[in-house]
C-alpha cells in the first residue's frame, strides 16, 4: 500500500499518549513508508512526549470542561470552534487514510472533523468506564477497540472489539530480567522490594501515605522504589537512601517491574493493563478525583476476579498497615494474586488494534 497517512490523537495524561505511540510504532513497523501525524492539546504533556518518541505533533487550543463555573469554562466554546477549524485545516492538508483517537480532549474535534469528511475513524477506549469524548465519538466511529468486557452498554455493539490496551512490548517477559534489574537499581537481593506508582503526574495522597509508613517499611526490612511524580520530587528527595529510591518518573519500567515483589499503584487504565501483563501482587489505591470515578471501576474489575487488592483513599489510615503487612507475610497469597491477575492480561492488544486499522484501509 503506497503513501499511507495516519493521524493519531489523544493526550492529557500518559494513559492516553502511551497507547497512541504504541499504535504508531506498530503502524510504522508494518508500513515503513507511512506518514504519521499526531494531534494533541497545546499545553499538555503530549507536546513533549510525542516528539521524544520521534513523531511530529500539531497542537489544538482545547481543554476540558471544569466541574464548576470558571473562566476556563467560559472560554470553552471559543476553544472548541478554534480547534474544529484547525482540525479541518489539518485534515484537508494532510489527507489521512485513517484517523485514530485514544481519548483525551484533543481527539474530540479532530475525529468529529474526520467523520464529516467521511474518513474512517477508530477509537481506542482504555477504561472500564468510557470518557465523554469517546461516548460522543462512538456514534460515528467505524471501530471501537476496548480493554474491558461489557462495554456494549456504552457503545454500539456491532462496532465494539475487545482488544485490551497497548502496553510496552518490553514488559512481556520481565521474569528473565530480575538479576539485571536488581543490579541496575542497586537493590539488595535478600530484601523484599516494594514498587510505588503514582501515575505520570504523581499522587499526593499516595505520597503522604508512603512518607508516613517509611519507619514501618524499614522495620519490615522492605526496600522501596518510589515514583512520586514530577510535582512532588522536591518534597520527597530528602528520603533518598540505600533502601529508598525516590524518582520523579521511571525510564526503565521493565526493570522496576522485574525488581518488584509487591506493587502499590493508582488504577489508571494503562497501569492496570501493564500490571496484568507483569503479574505481580498489587494493592490498588484508585484516584477519587477522576471523571466518573473510573479508576475505582478499573481496579474493581481486577479485584472482582481475585487478581488484586484495593484500598480506597478514605480507608488508608485505618487499613493500610494491616493489609500490607498481611500480604507481605503471606507468600501463598502473593503467588495467588500474581497468577490470577496474569490470566486477565491481553498482551496482543497493539497488533489487534492495528489489524482493525488495516481493515479500514480496504
Amino acid at each position: 500500500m503506497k503513501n499511507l497517512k495516519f493521524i493519531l490523537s489523544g493526550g492529557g495524561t500518559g494513559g492516553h499518549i502511551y497507547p497512541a505511540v504504541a499504535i504508531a510504532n506498530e503502524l510504522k513497523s508494518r508500513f515503513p513508508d507511512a506518514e504519521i501525524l499526531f494531534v494533541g492539546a497545546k499545553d499538555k504533556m503530549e507536546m513533549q512526549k510525542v516528539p521524544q518518541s520521534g513523531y511530529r505533533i500539531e497542537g489544538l487550543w482545547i481543554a476540558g470542561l471544569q466541574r464548576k463555573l470558571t473562566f476556563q469554562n467560559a472560554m470553552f466554546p471559543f476553544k472548541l470552534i478554534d480547534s474544529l477549524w484547525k482540525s479541518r485545516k489539518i485534515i484537508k492538508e494532510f489527507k489521512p487514510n485513517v484517523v485514530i483517537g485514544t481519548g483525551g480532549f484533543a481527539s474530540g474535534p479532530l475525529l468529529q472533523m474526520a467523520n464529516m469528511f467521511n474518513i474512517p475513524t477508530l477509537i481506542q477506549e482504555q477504561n472500564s468506564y468510557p470518557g465523554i469524548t469517546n461516548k460522543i465519538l462512538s456514534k460515528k466511529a467505524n471501530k471501537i477497540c476496548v480493554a474491558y468486557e461489557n462495554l456494549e452498554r456504552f457503545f454500539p455493539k456491532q462496532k465494539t472489539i475487545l482488544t485490551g490496551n497497548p502496553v510496552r512490548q518490553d514488559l512481556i517477559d520481565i521474569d528473565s530480567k530480575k538479576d539485571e534489574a536488581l543490579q541496575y537499581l542497586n537493590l539488595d537481593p535478600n530484601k523484599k522490594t516494594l514498587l510505588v506508582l503514582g501515575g505520570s503526574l504523581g499522587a499526593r495522597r499516595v505520597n503522604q501515605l508512603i512518607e508516613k509508613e517509611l519507619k514501618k517499611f524499614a522495620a519490615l526490612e522492605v526496600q522501596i522504589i518510589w515514583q512520586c511524580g514530577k510535582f512532588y520530587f522536591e518534597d520527597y528527595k530528602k528520603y533518598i537512601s540505600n533502601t529508598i529510591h525516590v524518582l520523579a518518573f521511571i525510564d526503565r519500567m521493565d526493570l522496576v517491574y522485574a525488581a518488584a515483589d509487591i506493587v502499590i499503584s493508582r488504577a489508571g487504565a494503562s497501569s492496570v493493563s501493564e500490571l496484568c501483563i507483569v503479574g505481580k501482587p498489587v494493592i490498588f489505591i484508585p484516584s477519587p478525583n477522576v471523571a466518573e470515578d473510573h479508576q475505582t471501576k478499573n481496579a474493581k474489575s481486577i479485584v472482582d476476579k481475585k487478581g488484586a487488592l484495593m484500598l480506597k483513599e478514605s480507608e488508608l489510615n485505618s487499613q493500610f498497615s494491616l493489609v500490607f503487612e498481611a500480604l507481605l507475610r503471606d507468600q501463598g497469597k502473593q503467588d495467588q494474586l500474581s497468577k490470577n491477575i496474569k490470566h486477565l492480561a491481553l498482551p496482543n492488544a497493539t497488533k489487534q488494534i492495528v489489524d482493525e486499522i488495516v481493515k479500514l484501509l480496504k
Side-chain angles (χ1 to χ4, degrees):
M1 293 190 194
K2 284 271 177 286
N3 304 348
L4 288 174
K5 294 182 172 188
F6 302 100
I7 298 183
L8 291 107
S9 180
T13 66
H16 293 309
I17 300 162
Y18 182 74
V21 171
I23 292 166
N25 292 343
E26 177 67 19
L27 284 167
K28 204 74 183 150
S29 76
R30 290 199 206 184
F31 308 110
D33 301 331
E35 277 187 71
I36 294 176
L37 174 67
F38 276 74
V39 174
K42 258 186 185 150
D43 51 351
K44 297 289 188 190
M45 63 194 278
E46 55 265 31
M47 300 311 286
Q48 285 85 47
K49 294 283 180 207
V50 168
Q52 282 167 13
S53 303
Y55 295 103
R56 190 158 72 85
I57 186 165
E58 297 262 349
L60 302 179
W61 187 46
I62 188 78
L65 282 164
Q66 309 297 314
R67 303 257 178 108
K68 44 190 183 295
L69 230 63
T70 61
F71 175 66
Q72 290 290 346
N73 277 356
M75 292 300 287
F76 181 78
F78 303 103
K79 289 185 177 184
L80 184 61
I81 291 163
D82 185 85
S83 297
L84 285 164
W85 193 248
K86 184 157 187 198
S87 295
R88 181 172 185 264
K89 188 167 169 268
I90 290 169
I91 285 171
K92 283 188 82 163
E93 285 172 9
F94 189 76
K95 299 187 173 66
N97 296 85
V98 182
V99 176
I100 299 125
T102 60
F105 303 114
S107 62
L110 188 84
L111 271 81
Q112 202 68 29
M113 273 296 155
N115 291 331
M116 277 179 66
F117 283 106
N118 287 323
I119 293 163
T121 59
L122 175 143
I123 55 180
Q124 194 262 324
E125 174 55 61
Q126 294 104 33
N127 287 298
S128 58
Y129 196 93
I132 188 153
T133 309
N134 276 354
K135 274 193 207 157
I136 295 167
L137 293 171
S138 69
K139 295 182 178 45
K140 295 267 176 67
N142 298 73
K143 303 265 176 162
I144 304 148
C145 293
V146 298
Y148 292 91
E149 293 164 349
N150 308 324
L151 285 183
E152 295 81 28
R153 56 188 207 276
F154 304 110
F155 295 139
K157 189 173 181 174
Q158 66 285 4
K159 300 194 277 194
T160 305
I161 303 127
L162 178 69
T163 56
N165 280 323
V167 295
R168 301 159 223 256
Q169 290 307 294
D170 57 3
L171 301 182
I172 302 289
D173 176 33
I174 58 157
D175 295 343
S176 61
K177 298 184 185 176
K178 179 103 184 189
D179 295 340
E180 182 195 346
L182 293 171
Q183 252 179 325
Y184 176 83
L185 296 158
N186 205 5
L187 295 165
D188 181 345
N190 301 313
K191 286 186 169 165
K192 286 276 192 187
T193 302
L194 168 65
L195 169 61
V196 181
L197 299 172
S200 48
L201 304 172
R204 183 195 298 146
R205 188 65 190 86
V206 174
N207 288 334
Q208 290 168 341
L209 169 76
I210 299 305
E211 181 178 40
K212 179 174 144 283
E213 297 288 336
L214 285 175
K215 285 199 174 87
K216 184 80 183 272
F217 294 140
L220 293 167
E221 297 201 336
V222 172
Q223 55 198 347
I224 307 169
I225 306 165
W226 179 6
Q227 181 257 320
C228 63
K230 62 175 185 178
F231 294 135
Y232 301 101
F233 183 70
E234 291 304 313
D235 300 340
Y236 296 110
K237 65 181 185 188
K238 62 186 179 213
Y239 293 114
I240 292 173
S241 69
N242 286 341
T243 54
I244 304 170
H245 301 257
V246 184
L247 306 162
F249 52 82
I250 293 168
D251 295 322
R252 289 289 307 269
M253 281 311 291
D254 58 330
L255 294 184
V256 296
Y257 280 133
D261 294 294
I262 293 176
V263 183
I264 291 172
S265 177
R266 282 297 202 205
S270 308
S271 304
V272 173
S273 297
E274 286 186 1
L275 288 162
C276 289
I277 282 175
V278 168
K280 299 280 169 132
V282 185
I283 300 172
F284 285 118
I285 303 174
S287 169
N289 318 313
V290 291
E292 280 113 4
D293 199 19
H294 67 246
Q295 286 205 4
T296 301
K297 296 179 173 111
N298 291 347
K300 198 171 171 317
S301 69
I302 307 295
V303 174
D304 287 348
K305 293 181 175 158
K306 300 190 166 43
L309 304 175
M310 174 170 78
L311 285 169
K312 294 195 167 140
E313 284 194 354
S314 56
E315 300 169 331
L316 291 176
N317 289 342
S318 59
Q319 301 284 312
F320 177 79
S321 269
L322 301 166
V323 170
F324 178 76
E325 198 170 331
L327 180 60
L328 183 71
R329 296 190 190 287
D330 188 344
Q331 189 60 51
K333 178 78 169 165
Q334 290 174 39
D335 296 343
Q336 195 60 52
L337 289 174
S338 289
K339 198 173 122 207
N340 293 349
I341 198 170
K342 259 202 153 127
H343 284 317
L344 305 174
L346 296 165
N348 301 317
T350 315
K351 289 187 172 62
Q352 269 184 279
I353 292 163
V354 173
D355 289 345
E356 295 300 330
I357 294 168
V358 172
K359 287 179 196 168
L360 295 178
L361 293 169
K362 301 281 189 281

